[in-house]
Structures are given as structure tokens and as C-alpha cells.
Amino acid sequence: MNPSTSRFAPRIRVQIVLLAVITVATLLSAWAFSEASGTYQDAVRQEITRQETLLDDVRTVYTEDARLAFEVAAASARADALRPVRHEGRTAASEYEIAAQTAFALRSTADSGSFLHDAYRHRKLGYDLPRRLADLQRDKPARYGLAPEATMRSGDTWVRWGLGFAALAGAAVIAGVAAANVVRPRALRRPPGPDRRRVIRNLQLIPQPALTRSAESRTAALLQLLIVVLLMVLPLGAVYAAGGEQRAQAEAARKATQLGTAALAFGQRMAFLGESRRTAELTELRAMARERASLETGITPGQARHERVVAAVETRAAERVREIAEYMGRPPTRADRVDAATVTTLAEDPEHLSDLRDEQKRQVSFAELASSRGVYLGAAAAMAAIAQILVAAAVADGRRRWLLWPAGAAACSTVLTVMALI
């Protein structure tokens, strides 16, 4: 046969078109899922950067700035309380001078960049820590402007594209199966005349049960067609399973990062608040001790009265110190212009920590399930490849009994595929 005068039959041309569609759609689907995986990893990197920045700012405010600011505020509150009575006796004068000089010295030794020198001072309640935190965040718009959630949604868009290409490949496979089983009308099976181009009809790029004449040959062709379908479809399932695993792992990593940051940041705020409250309690205990000391013998009535006056002043100072502690250690709100994620992280009720923990565990479970699906689909593809080799050997030797082996391998591949989908 002269190739220049030959042409493919319509059935073969349909096979070529369908195989081309399946190949291109499969490659595009794998590419889309690869892009989705990369996008999910970008979201994880953005989340890590954002949470590191948040934790660093919280540490700066509630560990470095807050302690010094509270000491200044507490000493100032005590000096303000003692100022009216400082001329009534030696004790009041001494305690006032100690408190005033302590506040002055601490404020003077603060770094020039400390917010003690800025407009964060409240007239009675110390310093506005949430406002300080908001200003630090405002100076880092690039880092706080990162949107990992939006990046994850972008990855989901790539997944939808991948599923669309996979659906196109699946439709082409179904069309190929349908075309392989369509019997060609008798009128189209007539051999060409002497003046007509020869037609290549027996080439089977996809097994064609419709072209077989005997029931035995048709069974072998159907088995071959099933195996070919498995070999075409299983890579799509493996790609989808890998994409699902990547997404679940990315979400689990994001939630783990958020959980770690939330626990540390919340702990830093609560540590500062607890330490400040203890300072207020110690101030109150000091006042009570001074009150009891005024009842001891060995001092004059005037000295005892003065000690009780100072004790009463220190009690009021302790109340003010407690108010300062609550004000400076309060959880920030959106009204403070603090980032929404930070507001949630530093909230009074730490229920969000358990929610993050539960979600992280759930995503880990999803990742493990997707990984198991990938293993099943990989095993199914291996069994399908073995079945393809066995059925080719059986058909080449024309031994019907040999078809039992590829049939068993194809059945195992099908069972593994069903197990992956359950």
C-alpha cells in the first residue's frame, strides 16, 4: 500500500482526536493542580510571615514597652496620691519622694524611641497599649496586608480549572468507549474501488470491541478497553488526590502557625496583666502592713495617726494601680484600630484556641485521607499496567485461559479505585 494514497478511516481519526483531547486535558489538569499546590504553599509562607510580624509586635508592646510603662505609671500614681500629704510628716514626704524620683528616673532612662515619650499617656490610667500596638501595625502595611485566605481561594480557583480539564478528559474517555463499541454500517465496510484511495481500517489506537467478529475476541477487546480506560482515568484521580492532600496540609500548617502565635501572644498579654495585678496587690498589702504597724507600741500618737493617714493614701494608690493594670492589660478591640486577627488572638476568651486546634486536627485528617487515596490509586494504576501486559500476552498467543489473569488484575485495580473513592 502506498502511504501517499492512503488515509485513515473515520473511526481511527476519531480515536486520534479523542486521544489528543485526553492527553492535552490530562496535562492541563496536572498543570492546574500543580499551580494550585504552589499557590497553597504561598499562602503558608504568607501566614508564617504575618504571624511572625504579629507576634513580634505583641512581644514589643506587652513585654518590652509595657513593663517599663507600667512601672512609671504605678510610681506616678503613688506619687500623685502622696502629694497632698507629703508635708504632714516624715513618712509621707519620704514615700512621696521615692515614688516621684522613681517615676522620673524610669522615664528618663527610657530609650528615645520608647512610646513613653509619645502621646500614649492616659491622664489617670497609665499608657494606651492597644493604641501603641495599632501604630506599630500601621507602620507595616505590607506584612499585615498579606491575605493568606485570599491566596488559598486563588489556589481553589486553580483546582476548579484542574477539575474542569479532568472532566474534559473524562468526557473524552467516555466518548472513546462509546465510539469503540459502535458497529460500523455494512455500506461503509465495502472495499474501495480501483480508482479510490485505500483506507486504513484495522489500526486500533483504542481497543475496538465493535470490530471483533467472535465472542471470544470481543471479550478480550472489552477487557483491553477496560484496562485502557483505567490507565487513562487513574492518573487524573491521583492528581486530584495529591491536590487535596496539598490543600489540607497547607491549611493544617496555617492553623498550626496561627495556634502557636495565638498561644504565645495571648500568654504575653496575660503574663503582663497578671504581673501588674500582683503589683497592685502588693501595694495594698503594704498599706495594710503600715496600718497594723501604727498600732504597735513605741511610737507617739501623732506618729501613729500619720502612719494611718499614709496607709489610707497607699490603699487608694493600690486601687489606682489596679485600675491602671486593667486598663493597660485590656484586650484590644477594633475601635483601637488594631488588626482584626490580632483582636481575635488577644481576646479575653481563649475559645478561639480550641477552635484552631480542632480545625488543625481536622485538616491533618483530611491530608491523611487524601494521602491514602493517592496510595490506593497508585496501586490501582500499577495493577492496571500489569493487566495491560498480561492481556497483550494472552491476545498475542491466542490463549483464552490466559485472560483470567489480566481480568483478575483489572478487577483488583477496579476494587482499589473504588476503595480510594469511598
Side-chain angles (χ1 to χ4, degrees), residues 95-343:
E95 293 296 335
Y96 166 77
E97 194 64 26
I98 292 173
Q101 290 301 318
T102 298
F104 176 78
L106 290 175
R107 191 180 296 110
S108 300
T109 57
D111 295 334
S112 59
S114 173
F115 81 111
L116 293 176
H117 298 285
D118 296 332
Y120 298 104
R121 180 70 184 269
H122 188 278
R123 188 170 62 88
K124 294 182 178 180
L125 298 177
Y127 292 87
D128 194 341
L129 297 185
R131 183 182 171 189
R132 165 67 168 168
L133 181 59
D135 286 348
L136 286 178
Q137 294 180 335
R138 187 181 57 188
D139 293 337
K140 302 172 184 175
R143 288 175 171 263
Y144 283 99
L146 295 174
E149 291 287 350
T151 305
M152 292 294 294
R153 290 193 295 270
S154 179
D156 293 340
T157 300
W158 280 111
V159 168
R160 286 191 288 271
W161 277 105
L163 290 175
F165 291 129
L168 177 60
V173 170
I174 294 173
V177 172
N181 288 278
V182 173
V183 178
R184 186 163 47 87
R186 184 177 298 275
L188 298 179
R189 282 185 273 172
R190 291 179 298 178
D195 298 331
R196 300 170 64 181
R197 294 175 63 187
R198 300 298 299 272
V199 180
I200 301 175
R201 303 180 185 277
N202 294 326
L203 180 63
Q204 297 189 35
L205 301 176
I206 300 175
Q208 305 290 309
L211 297 181
T212 59
R213 296 180 179 179
S214 65
E216 180 179 346
S217 299
R218 185 173 178 82
T219 300
L222 285 172
L223 180 58
Q224 283 183 299
L225 182 60
L226 171 62
I227 295 171
V228 168
V229 169
L230 287 173
L231 290 174
M232 291 179 178
V233 172
L234 288 175
L236 296 173
V239 169
Y240 175 72
E245 182 181 5
Q246 288 292 326
R247 191 191 194 286
Q249 287 179 344
E251 278 289 3
R254 287 183 59 239
K255 298 305 178 185
T257 302
Q258 293 174 4
L259 180 62
T261 300
L264 289 173
F266 179 79
Q268 287 173 355
R269 184 181 75 82
M270 294 305 297
F272 164 73
L273 182 58
E275 184 178 350
S276 302
R277 287 171 174 171
R278 284 192 295 272
T279 300
E281 292 173 356
L282 289 175
T283 303
E284 187 174 10
L285 288 174
R286 181 176 178 176
M288 295 173 61
R290 190 181 296 278
E291 178 72 23
R292 287 196 298 270
S294 67
L295 301 177
E296 294 180 0
T297 59
I299 61 175
T300 65
Q303 290 176 330
R305 183 187 63 81
H306 181 63
E307 290 290 337
R308 286 193 294 271
V309 169
V310 174
V313 170
E314 289 183 334
T315 300
R316 292 194 297 269
E319 295 174 358
R320 176 60 58 82
V321 171
R322 184 178 292 105
E323 292 174 357
I324 292 173
E326 298 297 333
Y327 175 76
M328 294 182 63
R330 75 190 190 279
T333 64
R334 290 294 292 159
D336 297 311
R337 298 178 291 115
V338 174
D339 175 69
T342 308
V343 171

Side-chain angles (χ1 to χ4, degrees), residues 391-407:
V391 75
V395 171
D397 267 3
R399 301 192 180 187
R400 184 176 181 181
R401 291 184 179 180
W402 284 16
L403 292 176
L404 295 176
W405 294 101

